[in-house]
């Protein structure tokens, strides 16, 4: 069996959640671990592999925690999602640390490595549980990255006849008395039955009625500060620990129970359970609000649970002022998450101020629904507060791993307009995914917010990511155009150099169009002006448009008149142009007769035929080609490389006999959907010819195709 080790740095964004997940999960539980694709590299992780999970503070000091089995792997763009089934605790020896220092010579947020001989340097087994838990707790207590983590574990769950006694061991030496942390005992429906006050080190105990916990319960740190331990106890485990019923022994004389009636005990958390039950019985929020407001609040006007649920209902019904007033009466740490989110939404609606940071601190962001809800809330806040809240979430005290971050960022709607937030989202897309995703995200924002491209900081961020990309959005030219205009206005040579370095990332026609627009519309001067004209001349010359460079070079000579260096550069380009023109003149002496012969050969084959050209935009020479080849007509199907094109109309024309020949401009078309078109053409014996854009290219490609078909064993064309 393959064995791998995955170690995460505690201080890296979102990774601190790994420790509480590992120390508070029973064997057999499935957890999800998300890794950036480049962390795994070329390693192959077969299913059922053993995965050892742990953390490390510095190179050479790993802390292994749990062994797991790889249950499933999902590959997503930019990252990989591992589903792991947890097993026993694991510990390492000196040989492993030495091996680790040999294999890992640089610090990374996540380290993934294969362990050739795990049995020689690792120990595992159920007997390690208690001892290893203490070792991990002691190691984490020394780390500043876990100063808000309340580490605890249940040491005894003892069901009695009517009660369940629960004892919890704490190990959090950093805990301060004024932090007010507790371990809540939550019933299966999420209602707090009671709590145990946290302590730095020691054991706390509480007793709860059996009836409230018989379906299972959860032990959870409160308040939940971004990450923490959650212990879940199932009903089956609780029932197995319950004492077996004893036979009833008749009472002896003098031991009879006291017959005097006692008053009813007021149960703990009565309002929470009552409101929960009323919500099940009264689905209509208006009717439920009436019951809570007009009846229960009269009985218990100071009850914080009641006020929180009133605020939630007011917010749902659009009564935002009343929701805000009701929720402000309850301390944030005592509100449920639903009420905290309702308070944020209500304050946004009425423009009131709330402490976003304080509310976010108490939210349980291990839940995806809370992450999505918070994303929707923050995106609609006043811009400066939204930016501050986002920075706090992602930077100061991040709760996310890569999956959570992507889920959060995907919740941001396209209509959101704050430039600071858009920039911050892009930063974290780049950090957690890659430059291409961040670049495409920013460029997509230009469609809905064209004013963004006017910002120099925005353009700098886009171009910085573009320089790191292997693939480039076509819309990059919009940003380059604005950046070039700004460079010319300010005579900023640095900006021009950046634009020039990114020109190869555009297609040649895009680059030519960009420089042509500036050459004919901007006021060119100095070194930037001359270099722009030289760059444009080079692109035109390499595109076969050498004749168009002559007026451009005349303009360059005028601009470079007072600079010997610039004049020398212009002279070099002029010499290259003259050489090209001479070659073209010599080539034309042979090409013109050859083209004429090709046209005459093809007229006899194509006279009266119907041609379809696919790719790019229709060119002016299409009509010339139709006349030269004696075609009945040419239909041009426009298509771009970055667009999905529907070819169903062309396919139907082939089936009905309306198309006799197809020419595909392969350098100007996206290839999605072409396989089906080719198969339809083949079945109906319609020639399918590939060529580059240009009159001569199409002419020679068609001529070569029919020359190859001249053999007697191949059909020339469809009858």
């Amino acid at each position: 069996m393959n064995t791998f080790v995955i170690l995460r740095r505690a201080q890296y964004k979102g990774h601190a959640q790994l420790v509480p997940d590992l120390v508070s999960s029973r064997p057999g539980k499935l957890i999800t671990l998300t890794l950036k694709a480049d962390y795994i590299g070329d390693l192959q992780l077969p299913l059922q592999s053993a995965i050892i999970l742990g953390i490390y503070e510095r190179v050479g000091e790993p802390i292994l925690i749990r062994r797991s089995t790889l249950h499933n792997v999902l590959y997503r763009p930019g990252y990989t999602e591992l589903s792991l089934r947890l097993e026993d605790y694991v510990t390492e020896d000196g040989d492993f640390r030495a091996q680790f220092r040999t294999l890992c010579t640089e610090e990374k947020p996540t380290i993934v490595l294969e362990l050739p001989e795990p049995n020689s340097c690792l120990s595992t087994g159920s007997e390690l549980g208690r001892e290893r838990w203490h070792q991990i707790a002691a190691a984490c207590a020394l780390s500043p990255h876990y100063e808000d983590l309340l580490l605890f574990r249940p040491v005894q769950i003892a069901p009695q006849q009517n009660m369940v006694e629960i004892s919890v061991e704490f190990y959090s030496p950093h805990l301060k008395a004024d932090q007010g942390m507790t371990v809540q005992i939550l019933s299966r429906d999420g209602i707090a039955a009671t709590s145990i006050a946290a302590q730095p080190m020691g054991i706390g105990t509480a007793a709860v009625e059996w009836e409230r916990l018989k379906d299972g319960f959860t032990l959870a740190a409160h308040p939940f500060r971004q990450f923490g331990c959650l212990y879940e106890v199932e009903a089956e485990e609780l029932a197995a620990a319950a004492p077996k019923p004893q036979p009833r022994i008749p009472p002896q004389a003098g031991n009879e129970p006291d017959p005097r009636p006692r008053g009813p005990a007021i149960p703990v958390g009565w309002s929470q359970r009552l409101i929960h039950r009323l919500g099940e019985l009264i689905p209509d929020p208006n009717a439920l609000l009436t019951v809570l407001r007009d009846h229960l609040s009269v009985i218990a006007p100071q009850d914080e649970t009641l006020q929180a649920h009133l605020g939630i209902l007011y917010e749902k019904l659009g009564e935002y002022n009343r929701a805000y007033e009701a929720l402000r009466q309850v301390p944030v740490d005592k509100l449920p998450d639903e009420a905290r989110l309702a308070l944020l939404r209500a304050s946004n609606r009425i423009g009131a101020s709330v402490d976003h940071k304080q509310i976010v601190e108490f939210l349980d962001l291990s839940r995806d629904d809370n992450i999505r809800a918070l994303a929707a809330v923050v995106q609609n806040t006043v811009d400066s507060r939204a930016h501050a809240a986002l920075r706090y979430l992602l930077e100061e005290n991040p709760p996310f791993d890569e999956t959570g971050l992507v889920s959060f960022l995907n919740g941001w709607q396209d209509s959101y307009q704050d430039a600071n937030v858009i920039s911050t989202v892009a930063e974290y897309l780049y950090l957690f995914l890659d430059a291409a995703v961040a670049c495409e995200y920013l460029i997509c924002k230009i469609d809905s917010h064209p004013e963004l491209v006017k910002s120099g900081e925005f353009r700098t961020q886009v171009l910085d990511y573009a320089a790191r990309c292997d693939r480039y959005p076509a819309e990059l030219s919009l940003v380059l155009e604005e950046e070039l205009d700004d460079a010319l206005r300010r005579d900023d040579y640095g900006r021009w150099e950046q634009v020039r370095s990114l020109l190869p990332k555009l297609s040649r026609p895009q680059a030519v169009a960009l420089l042509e627009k500036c050459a004919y519309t901007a006021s060119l001067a100095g070194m930037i002006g001359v270099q722009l004209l030289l760059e444009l001349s080079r692109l035109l010359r390499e595109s076969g448009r050498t004749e168009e460079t002559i007026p451009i070079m005349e303009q360059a000579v005028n601009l470079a008149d007072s600079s010997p260096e610039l004049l020398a550069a212009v002279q070099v380009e002029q010499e290259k142009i003259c050489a090209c023109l001479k070659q073209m003149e010599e080539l034309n002496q042979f090409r013109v007769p050859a083209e004429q012969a090709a046209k005459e050969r093809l007229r006899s084959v194509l006279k009266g035929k119907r041609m379809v050209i696919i790719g790019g935009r229709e060119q002016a020479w299409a009509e010339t080609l139709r006349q030269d080849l004696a075609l009945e007509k040419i239909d041009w199907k426009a298509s771009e490389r970055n667009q999905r094109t529907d070819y169903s109309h062309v396919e139907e024309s082939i089936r009905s006999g309306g198309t006799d020949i197809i020419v595909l401009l392969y350098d100007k078309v996206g290839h999605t959907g072409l396989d089906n078109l080719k198969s339809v053409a083949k079945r109906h014996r319609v020639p399918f010819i590939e060529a580059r854009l240009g009159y001569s290219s199409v002419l020679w490609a068609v001529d070569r195709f029919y020359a190859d078909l001249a053999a007697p064993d191949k059909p020339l064309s469809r009858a």
Side-chain angles (χ1 to χ4, degrees):
M1 180 188 295
N2 302 83
T3 300
F4 300 88
V5 174
I6 298 178
L7 299 173
R8 310 199 87 164
R9 292 206 68 170
Q11 63 267 48
Y12 189 63
K13 295 175 171 58
H15 291 180
Q17 177 61 38
L18 183 63
V19 168
D21 277 349
L22 295 181
V23 300
S24 64
S25 300
R26 67 184 67 255
K29 181 178 178 180
L30 281 173
I31 68 167
T32 299
L33 190 65
T34 305
L35 306 174
K36 287 182 69 174
D38 55 356
Y39 294 161
I40 299 177
D42 297 329
L43 281 178
Q44 298 296 319
L45 303 179
L47 294 183
Q48 302 305 311
S49 295
I51 307 290
I52 309 298
L53 300 170
I55 59 170
Y56 77 105
E57 291 280 353
R58 294 176 297 277
V59 168
E61 297 186 9
I63 302 173
L64 302 185
I65 303 177
R66 294 286 284 271
R67 177 188 173 95
S68 66
T69 300
L70 184 58
H71 181 70
N72 194 17
V73 181
L74 293 177
Y75 296 98
R76 305 186 186 279
Y79 61 97
T80 302
E81 192 174 285
L82 307 180
S83 179
L84 304 169
R85 190 176 298 281
L86 293 180
E87 297 176 5
D88 294 325
Y89 282 86
V90 66
T91 187
E92 73 286 341
D93 60 15
D95 290 340
F96 172 78
R97 295 189 184 93
Q99 189 174 2
F100 177 77
R101 284 191 290 270
T102 302
L103 293 173
C104 299
T105 57
E106 60 177 322
E107 295 189 3
K108 294 180 180 179
T110 297
I111 293 175
V112 183
L113 54 93
E114 186 169 7
L115 207 58
E117 298 181 3
N119 295 332
S120 64
C121 55
L122 301 178
S123 300
T124 186
S126 57
E127 69 279 359
L128 284 176
R130 182 176 184 278
E131 178 185 355
R132 191 59 178 160
W133 186 87
H134 281 107
Q135 292 172 353
I136 294 165
C140 290
L142 301 175
S143 171
H145 309 295
Y146 295 102
E147 59 186 11
D148 286 332
L149 175 61
L150 180 63
L151 272 170
F152 65 90
R153 68 186 188 99
V155 293
Q156 179 178 311
I157 299 173
Q160 305 297 329
Q161 186 173 0
N162 297 316
M163 305 291 289
V164 180
E165 187 175 286
I166 302 167
S167 298
V168 174
E169 180 181 8
F170 295 95
Y171 196 105
S172 297
H174 55 268
L175 190 68
K176 298 183 177 131
D178 59 355
Q179 286 185 257
M181 298 194 76
T182 64
V183 171
Q184 285 192 339
I185 303 174
L186 306 173
S187 60
R188 182 58 67 197
D189 54 10
I191 297 174
T194 188
S195 61
I196 303 173
Q199 48 189 291
M201 297 177 69
I203 295 178
T205 302
V208 184
E209 300 94 333
W210 165 266
E211 191 65 27
R212 299 189 62 185
L213 302 184
K214 65 180 182 179
D215 295 327
F217 63 92
T218 301
L219 302 176
H222 180 80
F224 197 93
R225 296 180 180 273
Q226 311 302 339
F227 57 88
C229 294
L230 289 171
Y231 285 89
E232 295 180 345
V233 179
E234 301 296 333
E236 295 78 8
E237 181 182 357
L238 197 59
K244 300 295 183 287
Q246 300 295 325
R248 184 177 183 277
I249 301 175
Q252 302 295 321
N255 293 329
E256 294 83 357
D258 187 353
R260 290 173 297 176
R262 298 181 180 179
I266 299 177
V268 178
W270 68 273
S271 59
Q272 191 168 12
R273 280 180 284 166
L274 179 57
I275 294 168
H276 180 76
R277 182 60 177 155
L278 287 172
E280 294 177 343
L281 297 173
I282 309 173
D284 180 19
N286 282 292
L288 181 59
L289 176 63
T290 300
V291 172
L292 299 185
R293 180 189 58 205
D294 298 345
H295 299 282
L296 280 187
S297 65
V298 175
I299 302 171
Q302 303 301 319
D303 188 89
E304 293 174 342
T305 301
L306 180 57
Q307 290 300 317
H309 281 82
L310 282 172
I312 292 170
L313 286 171
Y314 280 132
E315 193 271 331
K316 283 182 178 178
L317 296 171
E319 298 186 38
Y320 302 113
N321 283 293
R322 289 186 175 182
Y324 179 77
E325 292 301 325
L327 295 170
R328 290 285 287 178
Q329 297 178 32
V330 185
V332 172
D333 63 321
K334 295 184 178 180
L335 288 172
D337 284 349
E338 187 180 3
R340 294 181 184 123
L341 293 166
L343 175 58
L344 286 176
R345 287 191 292 265
S347 66
N348 291 343
R349 289 285 189 166
I350 64 176
S353 178
V354 294
D355 188 342
H356 286 71
K357 181 177 177 180
Q358 183 189 31
I359 293 175
V360 170
E361 276 185 336
F362 289 104
L363 275 175
D364 177 5
L365 293 177
S366 65
R367 293 170 47 186
D368 287 344
D369 56 341
N370 277 356
I371 290 176
R372 289 191 294 270
L374 182 61
V377 170
V378 176
Q379 71 171 350
N380 292 313
T381 57
V382 178
D383 291 349
S384 61
R385 287 184 292 158
H387 188 222
L390 181 61
R391 280 283 182 188
Y392 173 75
L393 277 170
L394 300 181
E395 203 168 86
E396 294 183 27
N397 200 1
F400 304 111
D401 60 10
E402 284 88 337
T403 304
L405 179 85
V406 174
S407 173
F408 181 84
L409 296 181
N410 284 344
W412 289 69
Q413 297 174 0
D414 291 338
S415 60
Y416 193 64
Q417 298 187 24
D418 180 37
N420 288 329
V421 174
I422 290 173
S423 174
T424 302
V425 170
E427 287 178 26
Y428 286 94
L429 285 173
Y430 168 59
L431 174 64
F432 281 92
L433 298 178
D434 57 40
V437 175
C439 184
E440 289 175 5
Y441 167 81
L442 290 175
I443 288 178
C444 285
K445 289 295 178 184
I446 297 175
D447 290 338
S448 52
H449 315 304
E451 72 281 356
L452 286 173
V453 80
K454 300 295 182 183
S455 165
E457 293 180 357
F458 177 85
R459 295 195 305 271
T460 298
Q461 189 177 18
V462 173
L463 298 180
D464 179 55
Y465 294 151
R468 305 166 190 264
C469 291
D470 295 326
R471 58 186 189 276
Y472 320 105
E475 296 82 0
L476 180 63
S477 58
L478 299 174
V479 182
L480 288 173
E481 181 181 334
E482 189 66 35
E483 186 76 354
L484 183 53
D485 285 344
D486 195 49
L488 293 170
R489 283 195 304 270
R490 300 170 182 268
D491 195 26
D492 189 331
Y493 189 78
R495 288 183 182 274
W496 155 246
E497 278 292 297
Q498 185 176 30
V499 171
R500 184 162 67 169
S501 69
L502 291 171
L503 287 177
K505 300 182 184 297
L506 302 176
S507 66
R508 187 171 289 167
Q510 283 180 321
V512 169
L514 172 65
L515 296 181
E516 276 185 326
K517 184 174 182 181
C518 290
Y520 297 134
T521 61
S523 298
L524 299 183
M527 183 180 293
I528 298 178
V530 174
Q531 289 189 355
L532 185 149
L533 292 171
L534 289 174
E535 191 71 24
L536 175 58
S537 175
R538 179 186 67 79
L539 290 171
L540 288 171
R541 176 167 47 80
E542 293 175 355
S543 302
R545 298 165 58 183
T546 309
E547 296 91 342
E548 299 176 40
T549 64
I550 296 173
I552 291 172
M553 295 312 298
E554 291 175 355
Q555 188 180 0
V557 170
N558 293 332
L559 290 180
D561 187 35
S562 59
S563 171
E565 292 181 1
L566 294 178
L567 281 172
V570 171
Q571 172 119 24
V572 170
E573 177 63 20
Q574 285 177 323
E575 291 172 357
K576 292 179 180 179
I577 291 172
C578 290
C580 282
L581 291 173
K582 185 176 181 180
Q583 290 176 359
M584 290 172 62
E585 184 178 355
E586 294 172 353
L587 181 62
N588 284 337
Q589 295 176 2
F590 300 96
R591 187 179 64 184
V592 172
E595 282 189 356
Q596 189 61 35
K599 293 174 191 175
E600 293 175 358
R601 285 194 299 271
L602 290 173
R603 279 195 198 100
S604 62
V605 178
L606 300 179
K607 184 177 181 180
K609 301 291 186 183
R610 290 151 295 189
M611 176 184 288
V612 173
I613 298 179
I614 299 173
R617 298 185 181 183
E618 185 169 356
Q619 304 293 305
W621 48 260
E623 177 59 23
T624 303
L625 182 68
R626 186 195 69 77
Q627 294 176 7
D628 289 346
L629 301 185
L631 294 164
E632 179 183 328
K633 67 173 182 177
I634 292 180
D635 287 333
W636 198 299
K637 179 69 174 178
S639 177
E640 298 293 339
R641 291 178 65 90
N642 60 345
Q643 293 178 350
R644 187 182 183 90
T645 305
D646 181 11
Y647 297 109
S648 58
H649 180 72
V650 181
E651 293 170 4
E652 183 57 35
S653 177
I654 294 172
R655 295 187 185 99
S656 63
T659 297
D660 300 300
I661 179 173
I662 294 175
V663 176
L664 176 74
L665 305 179
Y666 60 83
D667 58 332
K668 292 294 177 183
V669 67
H671 291 267
T672 303
L674 285 177
D675 289 342
N676 189 59
L677 179 61
K678 289 179 181 178
S679 64
V680 173
K682 184 176 181 180
R683 285 197 303 270
H684 291 80
R685 301 177 66 192
V686 172
F688 195 97
I689 303 169
E690 296 188 4
R692 293 179 63 87
L693 178 65
Y695 174 93
S696 297
S697 175
V698 172
L699 178 67
W700 290 116
V702 175
D703 185 56
R704 283 194 301 272
F705 178 85
Y706 282 102
D708 292 341
L709 288 181
D713 59 332
K714 296 182 180 179
L716 187 62
S717 66
R718 185 179 61 188

